[in-house]
Amino acid sequence: MKLANYRGRAVLVEDGRLVDLEHASSGEFGPQIQTVLTRWAAFKEWAIQRTSDPSAPQGADGPSDETGFGPVVPMPRQVFAVGLNYRAHAAESGLPLPEVPLVFTKFPSSVTGPRGVLELPTDQVDWEVELAVVIGLPAHRVTHGEAWAHVAGITAAQDFSARDVQLAGGAVPQFSLGKSFPGFTPLGPFLVTPDELDDPDDIEVECRLNGETVQKSSTADLIFSVPAVISYLSYIVTLQPGDVILTGTPSGVGLGMNPPRYLMPGDEVTTVVAGVGELHQVCRAARQPFDPTTILG
Ligand code: ZN
């Protein structure tokens, strides 16, 4: 099953056609996708029944406007991200392999839709393609084996990162702030349920910059797999429906290049997660660049 947030309304995506969930369920689910996620178990039951009901309303049309897709979770309560979760990325960062998942948060105000403009608040904004998982059922102290059953679906994400802001602070790097400027967390365009995937632990991810592939890998190369990350987190925090976890980025980020390469106005970033779709961002200089010395006086 594929879901999306189209023009602010939860839709099922069936053979490229959109089915408005509020209409199709006679008001039981929707209109917003967040209300579907908070009732995930009931929704799944309804969706299964629907597939065996020949009189169920079908979608008439595909999206008339690709820019109508919003983030698959517009305002998650919690957004986690995992650092250094691919071996080659840890190596290019010059850092030892982590012994436990290295977790930080991206603040929810950085979430945006799958297509649009990325404003560059500094001249050191970098790209990071990531597979994101969206939680469907509350998860507290779940085992690896139980983890996927708590996931509503996967989606494509970018973990845009202002490296200068992220790495300021010496002993206390400011990961959460450096990765939370407006528009730094595009999510979408589809939420794909795990049963749609041949192997949910082997999903290809790719990032292209102006058409050139800069990152390409598979979640089979994760140091801590999706189930391991969910299980680990769930022993510390209770994961709630709609929470989002970005699972790490492979090698090929600009920081790891010699010399480092960062996003410039006019650059186009394409982010691909196999089976989910693509994100497209076009970079633009910020009208007011981020300048801490002026802000702090
Ligand atoms: Zn990341």
Side-chain angles (χ1 to χ4, degrees):
M1 184 167 46
K2 254 187 188 179
L3 286 141
N5 167 19
Y6 187 70
R7 294 178 168 165
R9 297 182 66 87
V11 294
L12 278 169
V13 184
E14 292 178 337
D15 302 323
R17 293 191 301 269
L18 305 184
V19 181
D20 186 279
L21 265 178
E22 188 190 27
H23 296 159
S25 68
S26 305
E28 195 178 347
F29 301 103
Q32 283 146 359
I33 196 161
Q34 246 141 336
T35 62
V36 178
L37 289 165
T38 52
R39 296 186 55 218
W40 189 248
F43 168 71
K44 259 177 66 176
E45 221 167 274
W46 173 84
I48 290 164
Q49 277 184 354
R50 182 178 181 280
T51 53
S52 57
D53 175 4
S55 67
Q58 304 296 308
D61 299 308
S64 55
D65 170 17
E66 287 289 333
T67 63
F69 288 105
V72 289
V73 192
M75 188 44 82
R77 289 174 19 140
Q78 313 191 85
V79 183
F80 303 93
V82 185
L84 304 180
N85 203 15
Y86 288 81
R87 281 174 187 80
H89 176 56
E92 75 177 347
S93 305
L95 294 163
L97 292 185
E99 287 167 11
V100 295
L102 303 180
V103 178
F104 53 92
T105 186
K106 281 172 79 78
F107 294 107
S109 57
S110 64
V111 168
T112 192
R115 281 176 175 267
V117 168
L118 173 72
E119 283 210 2
L120 304 173
T122 80
D123 57 6
Q124 291 189 29
V125 178
D126 204 346
W127 54 85
E128 294 192 355
V129 54
E130 311 218 0
L131 171 91
V133 296
V134 177
I135 297 297
L137 300 178
H140 180 59
R141 297 187 166 223
V142 300
T143 63
H144 294 205
E146 295 164 337
W148 273 115
H150 292 74
V151 171
I154 66 164
T155 194
Q158 258 291 340
D159 178 16
F160 286 121
S161 305
R163 298 299 186 199
D164 44 351
V165 180
Q166 175 191 342
L167 299 171
V172 189
Q174 300 293 298
F175 273 47
S176 297
L177 289 179
K179 292 163 172 275
S180 292
F181 283 95
F184 270 31
T185 312
L187 293 176
F190 304 118
L191 184 71
V192 178
T193 52
D195 57 285
E196 294 270 322
L197 308 163
D198 290 337
D199 181 354
D201 292 305
D202 183 5
I203 308 284
E204 269 195 20
V205 296
E206 180 178 355
C207 180
R208 293 195 288 267
L209 182 54
N210 303 322
E212 172 203 348
T213 297
V214 286
Q215 294 184 282
K216 193 174 170 71
S217 189
S218 157
T219 58
D221 292 332
L222 285 169
I223 298 171
F224 299 103
S225 66
V226 169
V229 168
I230 291 171
S231 173
Y232 178 76
L233 277 173
S234 79
Y235 273 84
I236 299 169
V237 293
T238 300
L239 298 168
Q240 296 289 351
D243 283 356
V244 177
I245 306 168
L246 279 69
T247 55
T249 202
S251 63
V253 299
L255 177 66
M257 294 179 179
N258 188 14
R261 176 179 174 186
Y262 297 116
L263 293 170
M264 306 275 287
D267 278 347
E268 290 186 31
V269 183
T270 304
T271 308
V272 189
V273 171
V276 171
E278 301 186 359
L279 311 171
H280 290 280
Q281 271 71 40
V282 179
C283 301
R284 183 169 80 193
R287 258 159 279 163
Q288 285 200 306
F290 177 70
D291 177 9
T293 40
T294 311
I295 297 163
L296 297 171

